[in-house]
């Protein structure tokens, strides 16, 4: 896996909000089909890093960045916003379902990308829900308002919704922070099974979750990448003493 | 010894009664007063005939038609322009000197007295654009007067749609317009309707802006084109109340009642439309 071409790569990435620098000189490579865990205390730049990858940061008018990000060898700046975000999907911390039906939530993406035929949309909805392990729970009530589902179901609905636009990379921003342990397990389960087809980046405040789910783990601190290596090594014998302090719960 | 809860209860009841007394009772009394004084003039003939005999007899049909046409014309110009302006300001525009200037202008426009809009319309539409004294000039003038309210209400409605909806839409690869069209506007419509109807009701009742731009003193025939003058209810009311000697008072009251009824119908329509759209709005 180490020899594979990185699918996403940042070079000297620096991110600012106004005059405040939140990411310093980040060089990171994300490999295809891996789950990359990103851990670190609050304000360490994890979320900013994630949102730089599909330019969601740009929605904030005070945001600026320098350095380059490449996606499949192509400079990110050369990819139009809507195409980039189709290929790199996002799952947010709180399940952000739209106040429409389950079906419509998932159909939204394909529709904005021009899938018009009803049977095709039906098929995408079913496939996406199956991939997110939600189909069996909702197949009889696709017309239900999505916000009537439980938190864990809503989050898997969000995953299904992202899968419906056929992304290559999925970014998770603390996807289980509002979920109970059983829902969390279901989301993690779904992530494991999605590995086959997708590259996934998981930002989490829960170090144990990173240890459970991710192949490699990166530790961010104050906007710097302190250490990034395969998850086992990072959690058993970290090189940097700050990593050790964090994972053993001495700060953060 | 009164508990805090009892005190609160008493205060709320008093406030409720006060509101009732200050807001609801005067409205009901006004309508009742108008009905008592003008009710006997409210006949089918009054609604369906042009005025006759120095406007002392007959009906007010041309004025009703004129007002309805002016409302529709105002809607035609003010809604697209106002709503799109607000969409631009909230969803597209960056915060810079230029957009701050626009926002400041919108706020200031709403404070301008309506007679000034009338003079503005006279200069620009009647004179400069050579539309003459016509429905077109009048509707455009009323539309400009309504714009600030439409823009402000639409802006507030758009801003009240959670930012998360936009993020979700963008994160699925929707373009900005798709996001606005499918993820923002549907949830802003109730608020937009409220503001729009408010501004149109005001436009329907204004005399000053139409005084120089469209209103006819006496014109029994109905309009044929947008370049025609029309009679309009508020101006007609002004005319028969102050300019025509020996006018039966009940005709003025009946005219006023018709104007109120039109505005009231618009409000009812908006209530139903809002209820229809609000069914979807549950976040």
């Amino acid at each position: 896996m180490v020899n594979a071409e990185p699918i996403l790569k940042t070079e000297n990435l620096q991110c600012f909000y106004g005059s405040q620098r939140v990411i310093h000189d980040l060089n990171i490579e994300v490999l295809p089909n891996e789950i990359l865990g990103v851990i670190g205390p609050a304000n360490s730049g994890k979320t900013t890093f994630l949102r730089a990858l599909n330019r969601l940061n740009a929605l904030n008018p005070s945001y600026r960045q320098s350095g380059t990000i490449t996606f499949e060898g192509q400079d990110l700046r050369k990819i139009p916003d809507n195409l980039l975000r189709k290929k790199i999907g996002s799952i947010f911390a709180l399940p952000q379902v739209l106040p429409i039906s389950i079906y419509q939530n998932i159909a939204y993406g394909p529709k904005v990308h021009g899938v018009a035929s009803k049977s095709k949309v039906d098929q995408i909805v079913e496939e996406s829900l199956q991939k997110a392990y939600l189909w069996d729970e909702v197949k009889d009530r696709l017309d239900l308002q999505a916000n009537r589902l439980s938190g864990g179901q809503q989050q898997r609905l969000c995953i299904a919704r992202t899968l419906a636009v056929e992304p290559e990379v999925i970014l998770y921003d603390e996807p289980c922070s509002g979920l109970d342990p059983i829902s969390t397990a279901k989301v993690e389960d779904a992530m494991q099974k999605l590995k086959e087809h997708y590259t996934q980046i998981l930002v989490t405040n829960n170090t144990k979750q990173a240890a459970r789910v991710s192949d490699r783990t990166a530790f961010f601190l104050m906007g710097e990448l302190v250490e990034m290596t395969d998850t086992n090594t990072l959690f058993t014998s970290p090189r940097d003493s700050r990593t050790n302090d964090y994972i053993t719960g001495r700060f953060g | 010894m009164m508990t805090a809860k009892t005190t609160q209860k008493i205060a709320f009841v008093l406030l409720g009664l006060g509101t009732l007394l200050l807001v609801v009772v005067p409205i009901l009394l006004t309508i009742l007063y108008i009905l008592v004084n003008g009710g006997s003039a409210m006949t089918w003939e009054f609604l369906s005939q042009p005025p006759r005999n120095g406007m002392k007899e007959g009906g007010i049909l041309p004025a009703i038609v004129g007002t309805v046409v002016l409302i529709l014309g105002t809607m035609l110009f003010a809604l697209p322009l106002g709503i799109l302006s607000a969409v631009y300001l909230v969803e597209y525009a960056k915060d810079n000197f230029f957009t701050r200037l626009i926002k400041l202008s919108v706020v200031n426009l709403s404070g301008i007295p309506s007679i000034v809009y009338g003079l503005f319309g006279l200069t620009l539409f009647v004179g400069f654009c050579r539309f003459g004294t016509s429905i077109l000039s009048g509707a455009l003038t009323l539309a400009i007067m309504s714009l600030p309210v439409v823009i402000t209400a639409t802006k507030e409605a758009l801003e009240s749609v959670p930012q998360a909806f936009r993020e979700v839409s963008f994160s699925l690869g929707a373009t900005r317009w798709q996001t606005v069209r499918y993820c923002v506007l549907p949830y802003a419509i109730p608020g937009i309707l409220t503001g729009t109807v408010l501004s149109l009701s005001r436009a329907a009742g204004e005399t000053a802006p139409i005084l120089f731009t469209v209103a006819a003193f006496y014109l029994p025939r109905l309009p044929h084109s947008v370049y025609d003058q029309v009679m309009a209810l508020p101006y007609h009311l002004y005319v028969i109340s102050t300019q025509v000697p020996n006018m039966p008072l009940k005709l003025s009251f009946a005219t006023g009642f018709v104007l109120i009824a039109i505005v009231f119908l618009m409000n009812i329509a908006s209530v139903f439309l809002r209820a229809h759209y609000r069914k979807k709005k549950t976040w």
Side-chain angles (χ1 to χ4, degrees):
Chain A
M1 187 123 82
V2 182
N3 295 325
E5 275 295 302
I7 182 166
L8 272 163
K9 193 171 158 187
T10 70
E11 281 167 290
N12 308 324
L13 179 69
Q14 305 210 42
C15 303
F16 307 82
Y17 288 108
S19 58
Q20 195 197 354
R21 187 164 64 165
V22 290
I23 287 184
H24 316 232
D25 215 20
L26 179 66
N27 292 286
I28 210 166
E29 292 186 350
V30 186
L31 302 173
N33 296 69
E34 74 171 335
I35 298 180
L36 174 66
V38 178
I39 57 171
N43 291 321
S44 56
K46 312 184 297 286
T47 298
T48 304
F49 160 66
L50 209 60
R51 291 167 69 98
L53 296 179
N54 63 357
R55 275 209 298 267
L56 278 181
N57 278 334
L59 299 179
N60 183 330
S62 67
Y63 177 79
R64 285 179 302 125
Q65 77 179 40
S66 68
T68 49
I69 305 176
T70 46
F71 174 55
E72 296 179 326
Q74 198 182 4
D75 190 329
L76 214 60
R77 282 166 292 197
K78 299 209 174 94
I79 310 173
D81 280 349
N82 53 338
L83 222 65
L84 174 69
R85 293 180 188 141
K86 179 180 183 302
K87 288 187 175 166
I88 306 182
S90 268
I91 308 293
F92 302 99
L94 295 171
Q96 300 289 9
V97 300
L98 298 171
I100 45 183
S101 74
I102 296 173
Y103 181 92
Q104 287 168 313
N105 260 281
I106 298 177
Y108 185 85
K111 279 183 179 162
V112 302
H113 292 292
V115 179
S117 112
K118 168 93 171 89
S119 59
K120 180 82 181 135
V121 175
D122 284 351
Q123 188 197 337
I124 294 174
V125 169
E126 179 173 346
E127 280 173 9
S128 311
L129 282 168
Q130 266 167 352
K131 281 190 224 162
Y133 299 93
L134 190 58
W135 176 251
D136 291 333
E137 289 164 56
V138 300
K139 64 182 170 195
D140 302 321
R141 42 177 184 156
L142 293 177
D143 290 328
L144 186 78
Q145 279 271 318
N147 33 14
R148 306 256 305 269
L149 293 173
S150 76
Q153 289 173 325
Q154 286 189 25
Q155 196 61 299
R156 277 178 288 147
L157 176 62
C158 292
I159 295 176
R161 187 174 62 190
T162 300
L163 295 176
V165 298
E166 297 169 351
E168 289 163 36
V169 181
I170 306 174
L171 312 174
Y172 300 85
D173 189 0
E174 298 169 33
C176 301
S177 56
L179 303 185
D180 69 280
I182 291 170
S183 303
T184 302
K186 284 187 177 169
V187 171
E188 288 175 5
D189 219 31
M191 290 179 72
Q192 287 297 352
K193 287 169 182 155
L194 291 170
K195 257 174 76 169
E196 203 181 322
H197 300 287
Y198 306 92
T199 307
Q200 300 173 90
I201 304 180
L202 168 69
V203 161
T204 177
N205 274 329
N206 180 343
T207 43
K208 291 204 183 86
Q209 182 175 45
R212 277 195 303 268
V213 181
S214 54
D215 301 309
R216 294 194 301 156
T217 300
F219 173 56
F220 278 44
L221 184 64
M222 311 281 282
E224 275 177 76
L225 174 63
V226 174
E227 187 168 355
M228 175 163 98
T229 178
D230 66 277
T231 301
N232 263 337
T233 316
L234 189 110
F235 280 97
T236 50
S237 50
R239 260 186 300 115
D240 198 291
S241 63
R242 290 172 295 175
T243 315
N244 193 37
D245 288 350
Y246 184 71
I247 59 178
T248 52
R250 234 166 279 173
F251 71 87
Chain B
M1 193 61 201
M2 263 199 295
T3 64
K5 231 179 180 171
T6 333
T7 325
Q8 194 185 8
K9 253 186 194 161
I10 293 171
F12 280 157
V13 167
L14 285 179
L15 278 173
L17 282 177
T19 318
L20 193 74
L21 217 65
L22 284 170
V23 183
V24 182
V25 172
I27 289 180
L28 290 179
L29 278 181
T30 311
I31 294 175
L32 195 68
Y33 183 71
I34 291 174
L35 269 180
V36 165
N37 284 288
S40 61
M42 287 290 296
T43 58
W44 176 243
E45 192 204 354
F46 184 71
L47 294 174
S48 64
Q49 294 293 317
R52 274 180 282 116
N53 192 16
M55 298 196 266
K56 291 196 191 75
E57 286 170 29
I60 52 165
L61 179 69
I64 296 176
V65 171
T67 289
V68 170
V69 167
L70 282 176
I71 292 175
L72 290 177
T74 307
M75 207 149 76
L76 191 72
F77 294 121
L79 292 204
L81 195 59
I83 292 173
L84 290 177
S85 305
V87 166
Y88 168 73
L89 285 175
V90 176
E91 306 292 335
Y92 286 86
K94 296 199 169 63
D95 187 34
N96 55 29
F97 178 73
F98 176 66
T99 51
R100 277 201 293 273
L101 196 69
I102 297 180
K103 285 175 190 164
L104 190 68
S105 311
V106 171
V107 173
N108 279 314
L109 271 180
S110 57
I112 292 178
S114 55
I115 186 71
V116 178
Y117 282 105
L119 285 171
F120 173 76
L122 175 68
T123 324
L124 181 65
F125 302 123
V126 178
F128 183 77
C129 298
R130 298 185 184 280
F131 295 150
T133 313
S134 64
I135 294 173
L136 188 60
S137 300
L140 282 167
T141 309
L142 286 173
I144 297 221
M145 189 195 77
S146 313
L147 271 181
V149 182
V150 176
I151 293 177
T152 311
T154 309
K155 251 179 70 186
E156 272 162 23
L158 292 173
E159 279 161 358
S160 74
V161 177
Q163 192 61 27
F165 289 15
R166 297 180 181 85
E167 292 206 346
V168 164
S169 179
F170 284 130
S171 78
L172 292 170
T175 60
R176 197 165 275 269
W177 171 244
Q178 285 170 332
T179 301
V180 171
R181 169 71 187 74
Y182 299 114
C183 241
V184 180
L185 274 181
Y187 306 106
I189 280 181
I192 296 176
L193 271 174
T194 309
T196 308
V197 170
L198 199 71
S199 72
L200 287 177
S201 325
R202 197 189 142 200
E206 277 290 349
T207 316
I210 58 172
L211 193 59
F212 316 121
T213 54
V214 53
F217 187 87
Y218 173 68
L219 184 70
R221 77 181 174 95
L222 299 180
H224 294 298
S225 85
V226 291
Y227 295 108
D228 282 350
Q229 276 189 277
V230 282
M231 298 178 76
L233 286 171
Y235 183 61
H236 182 68
L237 187 56
Y238 164 75
V239 165
I240 60 176
S241 314
T242 61
Q243 309 292 305
V244 184
N246 304 322
M247 192 73 194
L249 203 58
K250 61 176 185 176
L251 286 186
S252 309
F253 279 107
T255 307
F257 182 76
V258 172
L259 183 55
I260 292 181
I262 289 180
V263 171
F264 187 67
L265 281 178
M266 281 167 53
N267 279 294
I268 295 280
S270 84
V271 167
F272 279 108
L273 274 172
R274 259 204 306 278
H276 171 73
Y277 282 110
R278 198 157 275 164
K279 269 188 229 148
K280 304 176 184 170
K281 181 177 157 179
T282 46
W283 69 80

